[in-house]
Structures are given as structure tokens and as C-alpha cells.
Amino acid sequence: MSPVWQQKKLIDFCKANGIVVTAFSPLGAKVTSWGTNHVMENEVLMEIAKARGKTVAQVCLRWIYEQGVTPVMKSYNKERLKENLQIFDWELSEDDSKKISEIKQHRMMLKEELISARGPYKSIEELWDGEL
Ligand SMILES: NC(=O)c1ccc[n+]([C@@H]2O[C@H](COP(=O)([O-])OP(=O)(O)OC[C@H]3O[C@@H](n4cnc5c(N)ncnc54)[C@H](OP(=O)(O)O)[C@@H]3O)[C@@H](O)[C@H]2O)c1
């Protein structure tokens, strides 16, 4: 989950059923085979970060935190690890949140490996909730 793959329907379902959601790859995991540049290079996130004197990573992580979701981010860099924890003493404005809610969405992974003629999901459409 990230601001670029918000999965609102899933999050609403989990909230309604008392399920705590964990967001893997909240920064888009951009150098991995499953990752994407769409998060860290998103214009809306870059604008908000610039206006608030924060980084795009901090805006993403703060947004996830404000959704009541637990982010699981990764960095091998000590400074970026510290940066990623500095999200608890400020908040996004209503306008920031509105702009983030309007970001064009991209499904980060299709999970085609879960599709099988003999399995419970026989097509991508059956596997996903139709939100994207
Ligand atoms: N079990 C599962 O199905 C599953 C699926 C996906 C992910 N995960 C786990 O979730 C964790 C996080 O996911 P992820 O590594 O895929 O994605 P991620 O945390 O969204 O992205 C990690 C990437 O972002 C960079 N980064 C981190 N902080 C940054 C910052 N402040 N500014 C700029 N770049 C920053 C990292 O580079 P640097 O290291 O150079 O900072 C790395 O390239 C990992 O531990 C992963 O194993 C589990």
C-alpha cells in the first residue's frame, strides 16, 4: 500500500472488520523487481513535501500512519532510517490529504502467480476487487 496504490475498498473492509492493515513497500520499493518509481517520483507528493519542508518518503509514511495503517519500510541508509521515523510530530493538512486521495492509482503488482485453472482464482479479475 502507498499513496499511489491506496486500495481504499480493502482498507475500508479491514476497518469495518477490525483488521489492522500493514503496508509493505510503502515507498514503492523502487529498485526491486516488484517495485515502481511512481511513488517517489509522484508530482503531488513532491509538491506537498516541498511546501511542508518534508521529504516525499515522510509524506508517504505520514499519510499511511494517518490512515491507521502500519508502514513497513526499509532502508540500508542510517540517515534515511532516521528520516523515516520523523513523522510523528506534524500532520498533513486537509488539503494535502484531499490532493493525495486524488492521485492517479497504479496497481504495483498483479500477482499472476496466484492464478490457476485448478485454483480458487481462475483470472486476474477474480483475484482482485475490481477497484483499479
Ligand atoms: N512479505 C511480503 O510479501 C513483502 C512484500 C513487499 C515488501 N516486504 C517487506 O517490506 C519492507 C519494505 O518494503 P520494500 O523494501 O519492498 O519497499 P520500500 O520500503 O517501499 O522501499 C525501499 C526503497 O526505498 C528506499 N528508501 C527508504 N527510505 C527512503 C527515503 N527516506 N528516501 C528515499 N529513499 C528511501 C530504499 O533505499 P535505501 O535502502 O538506499 O535507503 C529502498 O530502495 C521490506 O522489509 C520487505 O522485505 C514484504
Side-chain angles (χ1 to χ4, degrees):
M1 178 190 174
S2 76
V4 175
W5 191 24
Q6 299 182 12
Q7 305 176 75
K8 194 170 178 320
K9 219 164 140 180
L10 175 68
I11 305 304
D12 288 348
F13 174 86
C14 290
K15 268 189 195 154
N17 289 280
I19 300 165
V20 176
V21 176
T22 297
F24 287 133
S25 308
L27 308 177
K30 70 176 182 181
V31 293
T32 64
S33 56
W34 65 86
T36 174
N37 293 344
H38 283 130
V39 180
M40 295 302 277
E41 293 174 12
N42 182 274
E43 296 279 338
V44 173
L45 298 175
M46 288 200 270
E47 254 177 51
I48 295 172
K50 193 172 171 205
R52 304 194 130 269
K54 303 292 175 191
T55 65
V56 170
Q58 288 172 323
V59 171
C60 284
L61 298 171
R62 178 71 205 185
W63 177 82
I64 286 185
Y65 176 65
E66 289 185 11
Q67 306 311 300
V69 170
T70 313
V72 180
M73 59 285 196
K74 183 228 79 181
S75 177
Y76 288 120
N77 176 285
K78 198 172 171 182
E79 291 312 310
R80 287 194 283 279
L81 282 170
K82 281 191 207 159
E83 173 188 320
N84 293 348
L85 288 175
Q86 284 158 8
I87 60 162
F88 299 111
D89 58 353
W90 58 281
E91 56 189 30
L92 292 164
S93 69
E94 240 175 73
D95 189 47
D96 294 336
S97 299
K98 183 171 182 299
K99 284 183 187 156
I100 294 174
S101 74
E102 291 165 355
I103 287 176
K104 184 173 164 31
Q105 298 293 290
H106 298 268
R107 194 191 298 288
M108 200 168 101
M109 49 182 84
L110 273 180
K111 285 285 173 193
E112 281 159 317
E113 66 275 23
L114 298 179
I115 306 302
S116 161
R118 282 166 297 153
Y121 304 110
K122 297 181 177 30
S123 67
I124 287 286
E125 290 70 27
E126 276 182 34
L127 174 66
W128 292 100
D129 58 10
E131 187 159 15
L132 279 187

